[in-house]
């Protein structure tokens, strides 16, 4: 029995083999940026922003 090649099968295969690792890498990069010690001062300042009275 020959497998049926459809656009949906090809698209699903492409998404799982290509885009999943790309999005995992992007997620890891964002988390790394957020917890990097050099960015702590900027994030602390942004956290206090709603409490400032100007």
């Amino acid at each position: 029995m020959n497998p049926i090649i459809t656009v949906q099968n090809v698209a699903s295969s492409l998404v799982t083999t290509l885009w999943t690792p790309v999005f995992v890498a992007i997620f890891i990069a964002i988390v790394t940026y957020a917890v990097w010690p050099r960015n702590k001062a900027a994030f602390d300042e942004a956290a206090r922003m709603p409490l400032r009275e100007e």
Side-chain angles (χ1 to χ4, degrees):
M1 179 175 223
N2 292 336
I4 299 174
I5 298 175
T6 63
V7 174
Q8 184 178 6
N9 290 343
V10 172
S12 175
S13 177
L14 180 68
V15 167
T16 56
T17 59
L18 181 66
W19 290 110
T20 301
V22 169
F23 285 121
V24 168
I26 291 170
F27 175 78
I28 290 171
I30 291 170
V31 169
T32 303
Y33 174 78
V35 298
W36 205 257
R38 185 185 70 188
N39 299 325
K40 183 174 177 13
F43 284 125
D44 286 342
E45 178 64 27
R48 281 188 239 103
M49 209 180 287
L51 305 175
R52 287 191 293 189
E53 292 184 21
E54 293 184 38

